[in-house]
Amino acid sequence: MGPAADLAERLGLPVHDLGLLEQALVHSSWLHEHRDAARGHNERLEFLGDVVVNLAISEALFEAHPSDDEGLLSTRRASIVSTTGLARLAGRIDLGAMLLLGEGEAQRGGRRRPSLLASAFEAVAGALYLDLGWERTRRWLVNLAEPELSNPSPGLSLKSPKSRLQEHTQRRTGARPEYRIVAASGPDHEKLFRIEVWVDGRPFGVGEGPSRRTAETAAATRALEQLRREAAAASLPSAVREAPTPNPDIAASEPAEADSGADTTPDVGPATATTSRRTAG
């Protein structure tokens, strides 16, 4: 059984054109190494699937949240159709394991790369739309994204740490966080980046990862944790803050509200919401 048949079985859909679904799994790097083994790569299907996914998600959100205004609906949609959001959906069907990648792309961790997973997910949606039509494809997308579609707090738990950190700094000072490469080691296919994020002129967190983006996200996460600690410390009585030996129980019981307050995780306004992964990611 080939990857397209495996995927069709996993999806539980009556796929008729397995060749079309297989094309959705073909990365350009694989086609370059196997020129006559497939109809083509998946980029045209990705183009179509981008529209299919956006329309299905927009319609579902419109029906599920009748009291939301345009800005909040846009925020909800952006959190789902962003690169991170689509990669999350791709993970639910284990799409990475079925992709046809060139040898070099596979060695560089392409099966786990969010941008590649998001593109392939859109290509699959495009292929299903051409094969099964709008209604079946729409139902599949809506069922798969149900946790995000019904999320009561869009933009908080679904926004990336980098977005949340940037909103915090822009709200406080109008400036953006600055990401600095501390080190980059290893061969090209096994690169390890170490990046430090600066907020208000001082370092707030260090992160590591196989790409700059991953390392920046890790650094932003550390910075948010530091900001929460500082906010919690500032809310304590001065006698407690000035004690020479901090009580470890205090740090262990930092209030959860700090993570959802306006300063650390403010909601995204309409100006930052987008209609397509190509600008939302």
Side-chain angles (χ1 to χ4, degrees), residues 10-264:
R10 181 180 296 273
L11 299 181
L13 295 173
V15 175
H16 307 299
D17 192 343
L18 288 177
L20 185 63
L21 186 58
E22 181 173 283
Q23 184 179 348
L25 303 176
V26 175
H27 189 260
S28 57
S29 62
W30 188 87
L31 188 64
H32 181 73
E33 298 175 3
H34 308 82
R35 295 187 180 277
D36 300 321
R39 297 181 182 182
H41 55 63
N42 63 7
E43 291 175 9
R44 280 173 52 85
L45 290 172
E46 176 194 349
F47 165 79
L48 177 61
D50 175 64
V51 180
V52 172
V53 172
N54 271 274
L55 180 56
I57 296 302
S58 297
E59 182 184 54
L61 289 171
F62 185 86
E63 294 177 353
H65 302 281
S67 62
D68 286 0
D69 61 18
E70 181 272 343
L72 188 51
L73 288 172
S74 295
T75 297
R76 291 183 184 277
R77 179 178 58 194
S79 67
I80 299 173
V81 304
S82 66
T83 296
T84 300
L86 291 182
R88 184 185 301 114
L89 298 183
R92 289 179 189 160
I93 58 174
D94 197 20
L95 186 58
M98 304 177 196
L99 297 180
L100 297 173
L101 304 179
E103 183 177 349
E105 189 65 44
Q107 290 178 349
R108 289 191 293 270
R111 298 186 189 281
R112 301 183 303 275
R113 188 175 306 129
S115 59
L116 198 153
L117 289 170
S119 296
F121 184 84
E122 289 178 332
V124 167
L128 293 176
Y129 167 74
L130 292 176
D131 188 26
L132 303 178
W134 165 249
E135 187 55 32
R136 275 181 170 167
T137 305
R138 182 196 68 80
R139 286 201 305 266
W140 169 69
L141 286 167
V142 169
N143 288 338
L144 189 65
E146 194 280 333
E148 288 80 7
L149 291 170
S150 60
N151 190 308
S153 303
L156 297 182
S157 61
L158 296 179
K159 270 191 288 185
S160 71
K162 289 181 63 177
S163 296
R164 292 161 56 197
L165 180 61
Q166 179 169 315
E167 287 174 353
H168 170 84
T169 58
Q170 288 185 326
R171 177 184 291 268
R172 288 296 186 86
T173 66
R176 293 187 176 189
E178 180 184 357
Y179 295 90
R180 302 179 182 180
I181 297 179
V182 177
S185 58
D188 290 342
H189 65 282
E190 293 182 356
K191 209 77 171 177
L192 180 65
F193 290 88
R194 183 177 176 85
I195 289 181
E196 187 174 57
V197 60
W198 286 58
V199 176
D200 297 334
R202 60 191 180 105
F204 257 76
V206 177
E208 293 183 345
S211 68
R212 288 187 59 175
R213 183 170 183 170
T214 303
E216 288 175 356
T217 299
T221 300
R222 300 289 86 76
L224 288 170
E225 292 171 353
Q226 176 64 22
L227 288 168
R228 285 196 292 270
R229 285 194 294 268
E230 291 187 359
S235 67
L236 296 173
S238 58
V240 175
R241 291 201 308 270
E242 295 169 3
T245 304
N247 186 342
D249 293 334
I250 295 176
S253 58
E254 290 175 359
E257 302 87 77
D259 188 42
S260 57
D263 288 337
T264 57

